[in-house]
Amino acid sequence: MNIFLLAVGTKMPDWVTQGYNEYAQRLPAKCALVLKEIPAEKRLKNSNINAITEKESEKIKAAIPNNCRLVVLDVKGKSWSTEQLATRMQDWMMGGQDVALVIGGPDGLSNDILSIAQEKWSLSALTFPHPLVRVILAEQIYRAYTVTENHPYHRAG
């Protein structure tokens, strides 16, 4: 199974790339994490935010690989513990589809993308900078994978 991380934004700081790669590279080929960056639309002082999120959503839809389960990160989504994420990943793997995880731009995702998602996942009630979400997501995917493999990386009591 491939897990495609579709993230709005390009040209991340080195620490983001290094942090993301640290965890993505730990995953085996049977559960690969593949980053697809989506260029963000330019935002000006008087930009039409709805039009911007619609344009970004069109780019996201075009980047979703065929036959993927679509999971969007959304503040209104369901919050999962590490163990629940591990169970979701096992379900995804058993389902035989690749998964596309979507991180929207600074203004979130359009209703169009939200409406076609099979799942909505909230990392936290807190707001994180989008570059940091890439690193958190990669680490959590790796952590959940280690739970499925009874690896000692995750040592929750």
Side-chain angles (χ1 to χ4, degrees), residues 120-156:
K120 296 177 183 117
W121 174 21
S122 174
L123 288 180
S124 172
L126 300 171
T127 302
F128 297 119
H130 284 73
L132 184 57
V133 171
R134 291 182 189 199
V135 179
I136 292 170
L137 193 78
E139 192 279 336
Q140 286 300 296
I141 293 293
Y142 174 70
R143 180 177 296 274
Y145 175 77
T146 65
V147 169
T148 69
E149 298 293 310
N150 294 314
H151 185 281
Y153 179 80
H154 178 69
R155 292 184 177 95

Short mmCIF file of all heavy atoms in Angstrom, two decimals, residues 120-156:
data_model
loop_
_atom_site.label_atom_id
_atom_site.label_comp_id
_atom_site.label_asym_id
_atom_site.label_seq_id
_atom_site.Cartn_x
_atom_site.Cartn_y
_atom_site.Cartn_z
N LYS A 120 -12.50 11.97 7.36
CA LYS A 120 -11.96 13.26 7.78
C LYS A 120 -11.26 13.05 9.11
O LYS A 120 -11.83 12.54 10.05
CB LYS A 120 -13.08 14.29 7.91
CG LYS A 120 -13.76 14.59 6.60
CD LYS A 120 -14.91 15.57 6.77
CE LYS A 120 -15.59 15.76 5.43
NZ LYS A 120 -16.96 15.32 5.43
N TRP A 121 -9.99 13.46 9.14
CA TRP A 121 -9.14 13.20 10.30
C TRP A 121 -8.65 14.53 10.86
O TRP A 121 -8.17 15.38 10.12
CB TRP A 121 -7.98 12.33 9.85
CG TRP A 121 -6.91 12.04 10.85
CD1 TRP A 121 -6.98 12.12 12.20
CD2 TRP A 121 -5.58 11.60 10.55
NE1 TRP A 121 -5.80 11.75 12.77
CE2 TRP A 121 -4.93 11.42 11.77
CE3 TRP A 121 -4.91 11.32 9.37
CZ2 TRP A 121 -3.60 10.99 11.86
CZ3 TRP A 121 -3.60 10.90 9.46
CH2 TRP A 121 -2.96 10.72 10.68
N SER A 122 -8.78 14.70 12.16
CA SER A 122 -8.25 15.88 12.84
C SER A 122 -7.05 15.46 13.67
O SER A 122 -7.17 14.58 14.53
CB SER A 122 -9.32 16.50 13.75
OG SER A 122 -8.75 17.55 14.52
N LEU A 123 -5.91 16.07 13.41
CA LEU A 123 -4.72 15.76 14.21
C LEU A 123 -4.85 16.29 15.62
O LEU A 123 -4.29 15.71 16.55
CB LEU A 123 -3.46 16.37 13.57
CG LEU A 123 -2.94 15.74 12.30
CD1 LEU A 123 -1.69 16.47 11.82
CD2 LEU A 123 -2.63 14.26 12.51
N SER A 124 -5.56 17.40 15.77
CA SER A 124 -5.66 18.04 17.08
C SER A 124 -6.66 19.18 17.00
O SER A 124 -6.95 19.69 15.92
CB SER A 124 -4.28 18.61 17.46
OG SER A 124 -4.34 19.40 18.62
N ALA A 125 -7.15 19.60 18.15
CA ALA A 125 -7.98 20.81 18.19
C ALA A 125 -7.09 22.05 18.09
O ALA A 125 -7.58 23.15 17.84
CB ALA A 125 -8.78 20.84 19.49
N LEU A 126 -5.79 21.86 18.26
CA LEU A 126 -4.85 22.96 18.10
C LEU A 126 -4.64 23.25 16.63
O LEU A 126 -4.83 22.38 15.77
CB LEU A 126 -3.49 22.60 18.73
CG LEU A 126 -3.48 22.28 20.21
CD1 LEU A 126 -2.12 21.74 20.63
CD2 LEU A 126 -3.83 23.53 21.01
N THR A 127 -4.20 24.45 16.31
CA THR A 127 -3.85 24.81 14.93
C THR A 127 -2.33 24.73 14.80
O THR A 127 -1.61 25.36 15.57
CB THR A 127 -4.34 26.23 14.60
OG1 THR A 127 -5.74 26.28 14.79
CG2 THR A 127 -3.99 26.61 13.17
N PHE A 128 -1.87 23.94 13.83
CA PHE A 128 -0.45 23.81 13.57
C PHE A 128 -0.09 24.49 12.26
O PHE A 128 -0.90 24.51 11.33
CB PHE A 128 -0.04 22.34 13.44
CG PHE A 128 -0.27 21.52 14.68
CD1 PHE A 128 -1.13 20.43 14.65
CD2 PHE A 128 0.39 21.80 15.86
CE1 PHE A 128 -1.33 19.65 15.77
CE2 PHE A 128 0.19 21.04 16.99
CZ PHE A 128 -0.66 19.96 16.95
N PRO A 129 1.14 25.00 12.14
CA PRO A 129 1.59 25.50 10.84
C PRO A 129 1.62 24.33 9.85
O PRO A 129 2.02 23.22 10.22
CB PRO A 129 3.00 26.03 11.10
CG PRO A 129 3.22 25.98 12.56
CD PRO A 129 2.17 25.12 13.18
N HIS A 130 1.20 24.59 8.62
CA HIS A 130 1.12 23.52 7.63
C HIS A 130 2.44 22.78 7.42
O HIS A 130 2.43 21.56 7.26
CB HIS A 130 0.53 24.05 6.32
CG HIS A 130 -0.94 24.24 6.41
ND1 HIS A 130 -1.53 25.26 7.12
CD2 HIS A 130 -1.96 23.51 5.93
CE1 HIS A 130 -2.84 25.16 7.05
NE2 HIS A 130 -3.13 24.10 6.33
N PRO A 131 3.59 23.47 7.40
CA PRO A 131 4.84 22.72 7.25
C PRO A 131 5.06 21.71 8.40
O PRO A 131 5.49 20.59 8.17
CB PRO A 131 5.93 23.80 7.24
CG PRO A 131 5.22 25.01 6.74
CD PRO A 131 3.83 24.92 7.32
N LEU A 132 4.72 22.11 9.60
CA LEU A 132 4.89 21.22 10.75
C LEU A 132 3.97 20.01 10.65
O LEU A 132 4.33 18.91 11.07
CB LEU A 132 4.64 21.99 12.05
CG LEU A 132 4.87 21.23 13.36
CD1 LEU A 132 6.29 20.68 13.43
CD2 LEU A 132 4.58 22.14 14.54
N VAL A 133 2.79 20.19 10.08
CA VAL A 133 1.84 19.08 9.94
C VAL A 133 2.46 17.95 9.12
O VAL A 133 2.26 16.77 9.42
CB VAL A 133 0.51 19.56 9.32
CG1 VAL A 133 -0.39 18.39 8.96
CG2 VAL A 133 -0.21 20.49 10.29
N ARG A 134 3.25 18.27 8.12
CA ARG A 134 3.91 17.23 7.31
C ARG A 134 4.78 16.34 8.18
O ARG A 134 4.79 15.12 8.05
CB ARG A 134 4.78 17.84 6.22
CG ARG A 134 4.02 18.53 5.15
CD ARG A 134 4.97 19.05 4.11
NE ARG A 134 4.26 19.90 3.19
CZ ARG A 134 4.71 20.21 1.99
NH1 ARG A 134 5.85 19.73 1.56
NH2 ARG A 134 4.00 20.99 1.21
N VAL A 135 5.55 16.98 9.07
CA VAL A 135 6.46 16.24 9.94
C VAL A 135 5.65 15.42 10.95
O VAL A 135 5.92 14.23 11.15
CB VAL A 135 7.44 17.18 10.65
CG1 VAL A 135 8.37 16.41 11.57
CG2 VAL A 135 8.25 17.99 9.63
N ILE A 136 4.66 16.03 11.57
CA ILE A 136 3.82 15.32 12.54
C ILE A 136 3.15 14.13 11.88
O ILE A 136 3.13 13.03 12.42
CB ILE A 136 2.77 16.27 13.15
CG1 ILE A 136 3.44 17.33 14.02
CG2 ILE A 136 1.73 15.49 13.96
CD1 ILE A 136 2.50 18.45 14.46
N LEU A 137 2.59 14.35 10.71
CA LEU A 137 1.88 13.29 10.00
C LEU A 137 2.82 12.12 9.67
O LEU A 137 2.48 10.95 9.88
CB LEU A 137 1.24 13.83 8.73
CG LEU A 137 0.23 12.91 8.10
CD1 LEU A 137 -1.08 12.97 8.86
CD2 LEU A 137 0.01 13.29 6.67
N ALA A 138 4.00 12.43 9.15
CA ALA A 138 4.96 11.38 8.81
C ALA A 138 5.35 10.59 10.06
O ALA A 138 5.41 9.35 10.03
CB ALA A 138 6.21 11.97 8.14
N GLU A 139 5.58 11.28 11.16
CA GLU A 139 5.95 10.59 12.39
C GLU A 139 4.80 9.73 12.89
O GLU A 139 5.00 8.59 13.32
CB GLU A 139 6.37 11.59 13.47
CG GLU A 139 7.04 10.96 14.68
CD GLU A 139 6.09 10.36 15.71
OE1 GLU A 139 4.91 10.79 15.77
OE2 GLU A 139 6.51 9.47 16.48
N GLN A 140 3.59 10.23 12.83
CA GLN A 140 2.44 9.47 13.32
C GLN A 140 2.13 8.25 12.44
O GLN A 140 1.75 7.20 12.95
CB GLN A 140 1.21 10.36 13.44
CG GLN A 140 1.28 11.32 14.62
CD GLN A 140 1.39 10.56 15.94
OE1 GLN A 140 0.49 9.83 16.33
NE2 GLN A 140 2.51 10.75 16.63
N ILE A 141 2.31 8.40 11.14
CA ILE A 141 2.15 7.25 10.24
C ILE A 141 3.20 6.19 10.58
O ILE A 141 2.89 5.00 10.68
CB ILE A 141 2.23 7.68 8.75
CG1 ILE A 141 1.04 8.57 8.38
CG2 ILE A 141 2.36 6.47 7.84
CD1 ILE A 141 -0.30 7.87 8.39
N TYR A 142 4.44 6.63 10.77
CA TYR A 142 5.49 5.68 11.15
C TYR A 142 5.17 5.03 12.49
O TYR A 142 5.27 3.81 12.65
CB TYR A 142 6.86 6.35 11.18
CG TYR A 142 7.93 5.43 11.70
CD1 TYR A 142 8.36 4.34 10.93
CD2 TYR A 142 8.48 5.59 12.97
CE1 TYR A 142 9.31 3.46 11.41
CE2 TYR A 142 9.43 4.72 13.45
CZ TYR A 142 9.84 3.65 12.68
OH TYR A 142 10.78 2.77 13.16
N ARG A 143 4.77 5.83 13.46
CA ARG A 143 4.46 5.31 14.80
C ARG A 143 3.33 4.28 14.71
O ARG A 143 3.41 3.20 15.30
CB ARG A 143 4.07 6.45 15.74
CG ARG A 143 3.73 6.00 17.16
CD ARG A 143 3.43 7.19 18.06
NE ARG A 143 4.58 8.04 18.22
CZ ARG A 143 5.53 7.85 19.14
NH1 ARG A 143 5.46 6.83 19.98
NH2 ARG A 143 6.56 8.67 19.22
N ALA A 144 2.27 4.62 14.00
CA ALA A 144 1.14 3.69 13.87
C ALA A 144 1.59 2.40 13.18
O ALA A 144 1.17 1.30 13.57
CB ALA A 144 0.00 4.35 13.10
N TYR A 145 2.44 2.52 12.17
CA TYR A 145 2.95 1.34 11.50
C TYR A 145 3.71 0.45 12.48
O TYR A 145 3.54 -0.77 12.49
CB TYR A 145 3.84 1.71 10.31
CG TYR A 145 4.45 0.49 9.68
CD1 TYR A 145 3.69 -0.33 8.84
CD2 TYR A 145 5.76 0.11 9.98
CE1 TYR A 145 4.23 -1.49 8.30
CE2 TYR A 145 6.30 -1.04 9.44
CZ TYR A 145 5.54 -1.84 8.61
OH TYR A 145 6.06 -2.99 8.09
N THR A 146 4.54 1.06 13.34
CA THR A 146 5.30 0.26 14.30
C THR A 146 4.37 -0.45 15.29
O THR A 146 4.69 -1.55 15.74
CB THR A 146 6.35 1.10 15.08
OG1 THR A 146 5.70 2.07 15.90
CG2 THR A 146 7.34 1.75 14.13
N VAL A 147 3.24 0.16 15.60
CA VAL A 147 2.26 -0.51 16.47
C VAL A 147 1.74 -1.77 15.77
O VAL A 147 1.62 -2.83 16.40
CB VAL A 147 1.09 0.44 16.83
CG1 VAL A 147 -0.04 -0.31 17.50
CG2 VAL A 147 1.59 1.58 17.73
N THR A 148 1.45 -1.65 14.47
CA THR A 148 0.93 -2.82 13.74
C THR A 148 1.95 -3.95 13.65
O THR A 148 1.59 -5.10 13.47
CB THR A 148 0.47 -2.45 12.30
OG1 THR A 148 1.61 -2.14 11.50
CG2 THR A 148 -0.52 -1.31 12.30
N GLU A 149 3.23 -3.62 13.78
CA GLU A 149 4.31 -4.60 13.67
C GLU A 149 4.89 -5.01 15.03
O GLU A 149 5.90 -5.70 15.08
CB GLU A 149 5.43 -4.04 12.79
CG GLU A 149 5.01 -3.75 11.36
CD GLU A 149 4.68 -5.01 10.58
OE1 GLU A 149 5.50 -5.95 10.60
OE2 GLU A 149 3.60 -5.05 9.97
N ASN A 150 4.28 -4.55 16.11
CA ASN A 150 4.78 -4.81 17.48
C ASN A 150 6.24 -4.39 17.65
O ASN A 150 7.01 -5.02 18.35
CB ASN A 150 4.61 -6.29 17.85
CG ASN A 150 3.15 -6.66 17.95
OD1 ASN A 150 2.36 -5.93 18.55
ND2 ASN A 150 2.79 -7.77 17.34
N HIS A 151 6.59 -3.31 17.00
CA HIS A 151 7.93 -2.74 17.09
C HIS A 151 7.99 -1.89 18.36
O HIS A 151 7.01 -1.24 18.72
CB HIS A 151 8.19 -1.88 15.84
CG HIS A 151 9.57 -1.33 15.75
ND1 HIS A 151 9.99 -0.24 16.45
CD2 HIS A 151 10.64 -1.74 15.00
CE1 HIS A 151 11.25 0.03 16.15
NE2 HIS A 151 11.67 -0.86 15.27
N PRO A 152 9.13 -1.84 19.05
CA PRO A 152 9.20 -1.10 20.32
C PRO A 152 9.21 0.43 20.21
O PRO A 152 9.23 1.10 21.24
CB PRO A 152 10.50 -1.60 20.95
CG PRO A 152 11.34 -2.05 19.80
CD PRO A 152 10.36 -2.57 18.77
N TYR A 153 9.17 1.00 19.01
CA TYR A 153 9.20 2.47 18.87
C TYR A 153 8.10 3.13 19.70
O TYR A 153 8.34 4.12 20.38
CB TYR A 153 9.07 2.85 17.40
CG TYR A 153 9.07 4.35 17.15
CD1 TYR A 153 10.26 5.06 17.12
CD2 TYR A 153 7.89 5.05 16.93
CE1 TYR A 153 10.28 6.43 16.88
CE2 TYR A 153 7.90 6.42 16.70
CZ TYR A 153 9.09 7.10 16.67
OH TYR A 153 9.11 8.45 16.44
N HIS A 154 6.90 2.60 19.65
CA HIS A 154 5.77 3.17 20.39
C HIS A 154 5.68 2.48 21.74
O HIS A 154 5.38 1.31 21.84
CB HIS A 154 4.46 2.98 19.60
CG HIS A 154 3.27 3.52 20.33
ND1 HIS A 154 3.08 4.87 20.54
CD2 HIS A 154 2.22 2.89 20.91
CE1 HIS A 154 1.94 5.04 21.20
NE2 HIS A 154 1.41 3.86 21.44
N ARG A 155 5.95 3.25 22.78
CA ARG A 155 6.00 2.66 24.12
C ARG A 155 4.96 3.26 25.05
O ARG A 155 5.23 3.51 26.21
CB ARG A 155 7.37 2.86 24.73
CG ARG A 155 8.46 2.10 24.04
CD ARG A 155 9.78 2.27 24.76
NE ARG A 155 10.82 1.49 24.14
CZ ARG A 155 11.66 1.93 23.25
NH1 ARG A 155 11.58 3.17 22.83
NH2 ARG A 155 12.58 1.15 22.77
N ALA A 156 3.76 3.49 24.57
CA ALA A 156 2.70 4.05 25.42
C ALA A 156 2.31 3.01 26.47
O ALA A 156 2.30 1.82 26.22
CB ALA A 156 1.49 4.44 24.59
#
